[in-house]
């Protein structure tokens, strides 16, 4: 095994390290980078050459979930409890949904993206094209801090799985 390319050092004061696992779409790798609350970006990198195709920083919050790819978009959650849809062709923000998302990755089936929300203890179904919430299921009381969790709060800390018509 040999190294085909390197992106160079994309770290700087605002982007000292990466968090999530990259996703692949055709010949593009898509991933989030950054550690400061306001300094994260989503990057589209050519998988064959390592060339940066686009860089999106139009959203709020630190990227912590792995990117989910579908419907021509990259979907990612941030620590500001906001869920984002990024256009794969341009890197432009398509829509964002407040009070959704977090550190767990989403799952896509049909026209819906299913979004777990860590602290709120919810799973939301969001239309992939419009960003409109279709439904929200509360798994239990929201977790605001460790005390809430010890008293029976619920956190959704895993990515949803889809099998047939079951979530």
């Amino acid at each position: 095994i040999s190294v085909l390319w390197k992106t160079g050092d994309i770290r700087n004061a605002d982007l000292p390290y990466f968090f999530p696992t990259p996703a692949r779409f055709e010949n593009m790798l898509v991933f989030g980078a950054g550690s400061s609350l306001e300094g994260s970006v989503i990057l589209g990198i050519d998988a064959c050459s390592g060339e940066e195709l686009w860089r999106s920083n139009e959203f709020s919050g630190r990227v912590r979930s792995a990117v989910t790819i579908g419907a021509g978009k990259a979907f990612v959650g941030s620590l500001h409890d906001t869920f984002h849809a990024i256009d794969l062709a341009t890197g432009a923000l398509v829509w964002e949904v407040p009070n959704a998302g977090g550190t767990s990755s989403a799952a896509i089936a049909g026209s819906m993206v299913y979004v777990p929300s860590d602290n709120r203890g919810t799973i939301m179904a969001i239309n992939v094209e419009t960003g409109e919430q279709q439904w929200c299921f509360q798994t239990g009381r929201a977790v605001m801090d460790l005390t809430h969790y010890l008293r029976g709060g619920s956190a959704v800390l895993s990515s949803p799985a889809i099998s047939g018509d079951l979530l």
Side-chain angles (χ1 to χ4, degrees):
I1 297 177
S2 62
V3 175
L4 296 178
W5 52 262
K6 294 181 182 181
T7 60
D9 188 3
I10 65 170
R11 297 178 297 165
N12 60 39
D14 292 327
L15 303 171
Y17 49 88
F18 301 110
F19 278 115
T21 305
R24 184 171 179 157
F25 174 73
E26 297 176 354
N27 285 329
M28 183 188 317
L29 297 176
V30 182
F31 57 93
S35 67
S36 70
L37 289 177
E38 300 299 333
S40 291
V41 297
I42 303 292
L43 297 166
I45 304 287
D46 184 290
C48 297
S49 69
E51 174 188 356
E52 184 176 307
L53 301 172
W54 50 258
R55 177 181 289 238
S56 177
N57 59 359
E58 299 180 48
F59 53 90
S60 62
R62 179 173 28 179
V63 174
R64 286 299 296 266
S65 72
V67 174
T68 302
I69 301 289
K73 297 170 189 66
F75 299 98
V76 65
S78 71
L79 283 185
H80 280 164
D81 279 342
T82 304
F83 190 71
H84 314 275
I86 309 292
D87 184 282
L88 283 172
T90 65
L93 179 67
V94 178
W95 51 255
E96 60 184 6
V97 176
N99 303 316
T103 61
S104 299
S105 301
I108 296 176
S111 63
M112 293 295 134
V113 56
Y114 299 95
V115 183
S117 184
D118 305 339
N119 296 347
R120 298 178 190 284
T122 61
I123 298 177
M124 289 184 185
I126 298 172
N127 182 289
V128 296
E129 297 302 327
T130 66
E132 181 179 326
Q133 178 183 315
Q134 302 299 302
W135 54 259
C136 180
F137 178 75
Q138 183 73 46
T139 62
R141 295 187 320 204
V143 177
M144 303 315 282
D145 60 32
L146 185 57
T147 305
H148 285 89
Y149 184 73
L150 295 173
R151 292 183 183 160
S154 298
V156 179
L157 299 175
S158 180
S159 302
I162 299 170
S163 178
D165 60 351
L166 298 176
L167 174 65

